Each structure stands twice: as structure tokens, then as C-alpha cells.
Amino acid sequence: LGAMGWKAAEKLIRHWKILRGDNVMIIRGKDKGETGTIKRVIRSQNRVIVEGKNLIKKHIKGGPDHEGGIFTVEAPLHASNVQVVDPVTGRPCKVGVKYLEDGTKVRVARGTGTSGSIIPRPEILKIRTTPRPTTAGPKDTPMEFVWEQTYDAKTGKGMPDL
């Protein structure tokens, strides 16, 4: 938790219905009524970044290795200000969760005037942003050490003196 207090942590969304790659409509703020794709979900702040939306100008001071200037960046929007777009009607909708006969969990469009259709999981989620490490890093124990026997039951070798 750290920087954020308990009060703020209590308000965190526990069950996120919006996923990265979802098509959403912005329902409040200056880009109200526009649709875009979720680029990032910042769960610790209940916020999402919508690609190319809610742009702000950011002044960045130049440094030895980068140029300064005014950059346009996407500011995070609060998750309550975006709604997932119903894939059939193209209108913003609430998201419900349903289980199919075979037990798979799906998201469905719910609310008045929605199709009630399944909202597919964005393809982009299959590509992980933080790839799982494939090569052994410095903190990984090399395999040959893993197989080495350190504890011998007969002699009690390798047991800490308790």
C-alpha cells in the first residue's frame, strides 16, 4: 500500500470489468462521447488510459539525454468515466458476468437497450506486457543446483541445528 492510505485502498475496484484492449466510450470529461481502446489499466488508482484520448500537454524539462518541450500525453481517466461499448449496438453498456454451460466465464453486455451479447476478451491480452522470463535471471537458481541433494535424512546433514 505505502503511499496510499487504507481509505483509498478500500475504494479500489476489486472486480475489474474493463480489460486492456477493450473498446470503451468516455462518458464524462472533455472527450465525452468518444470511443477508444484501453491502452493501460492502472489498478492502483482505479484509472485507465484510453489510446489517443484525454490528451494533455505536458511540459518536460530538457536534460542531457533527452530534449525538453511540450509533449502531448494521454492522461489517465477514472474507470467510472468510461463504459465498455456493446459490440453489437455500439452503445456504452454495463458489463455483467455470466457462466456458460461448460463453466467458462464470459462478460456480457447488460443494461437497457443492450443486446446482452458476449463481450469477447481483447486479443491483445494474449500478448503479455510483462513477458514471463524465459532465460534464467541472476536471481534464478541454475537447474544443476536444484537437483543437488542438500539434505540427507540418515546423517541429518544439511539440517539447521534446531
Side-chain angles (χ1 to χ4, degrees):
L1 283 161
M4 126 179 129
W6 281 107
K7 276 281 190 288
E10 275 170 10
K11 294 199 178 81
L12 283 185
I13 299 172
R14 293 217 171 39
H15 307 292
W16 276 78
K17 303 240 168 83
I18 302 175
L19 302 173
R20 183 167 55 92
D22 264 343
N23 193 18
V24 294
M25 182 177 280
I26 298 170
I27 52 176
R28 288 191 194 90
K30 58 175 185 183
D31 286 336
K32 185 177 165 179
E34 295 191 26
T35 54
T37 314
I38 297 280
K39 190 160 129 181
R40 236 185 101 201
V41 173
I42 311 168
R43 293 194 171 217
S44 61
Q45 299 173 5
N46 283 353
R47 287 174 191 274
V48 294
I49 292 180
V50 183
E51 216 165 296
K53 297 280 176 277
N54 199 27
L55 297 175
I56 53 166
K57 298 264 195 296
K58 200 168 182 181
H59 294 248
I60 295 175
K61 200 171 161 188
D65 50 356
H66 63 273
E67 214 173 305
I70 299 176
F71 294 94
T72 310
V73 289
E74 291 130 341
L77 285 149
H78 196 273
S80 63
N81 296 338
V82 296
Q83 263 193 330
V84 177
V85 171
D86 184 329
V88 177
T89 62
R91 296 188 31 217
C93 64
K94 290 188 181 132
V95 179
V97 173
K98 202 165 79 172
Y99 292 89
L100 300 177
E101 274 102 51
D102 59 355
T104 41
K105 183 172 159 183
V106 291
R107 300 184 303 157
V108 290
R110 61 182 193 90
T112 44
T114 54
S115 58
S117 58
I118 290 175
I119 301 167
R121 275 179 79 81
E123 289 292 314
I124 194 164
L125 288 174
K126 294 186 182 131
I127 314 155
R128 289 174 59 88
T129 41
T130 44
R132 293 201 174 93
T134 41
T135 53
K139 288 202 176 80
D140 290 336
T141 314
M143 274 326 272
E144 57 264 25
F145 288 129
V146 175
W147 301 117
E148 204 181 293
Q149 194 179 358
T150 47
Y151 171 62
D152 190 345
K154 285 194 218 54
T155 58
K157 175 181 143 312
M159 264 307 266
D161 302 323
L162 294 172

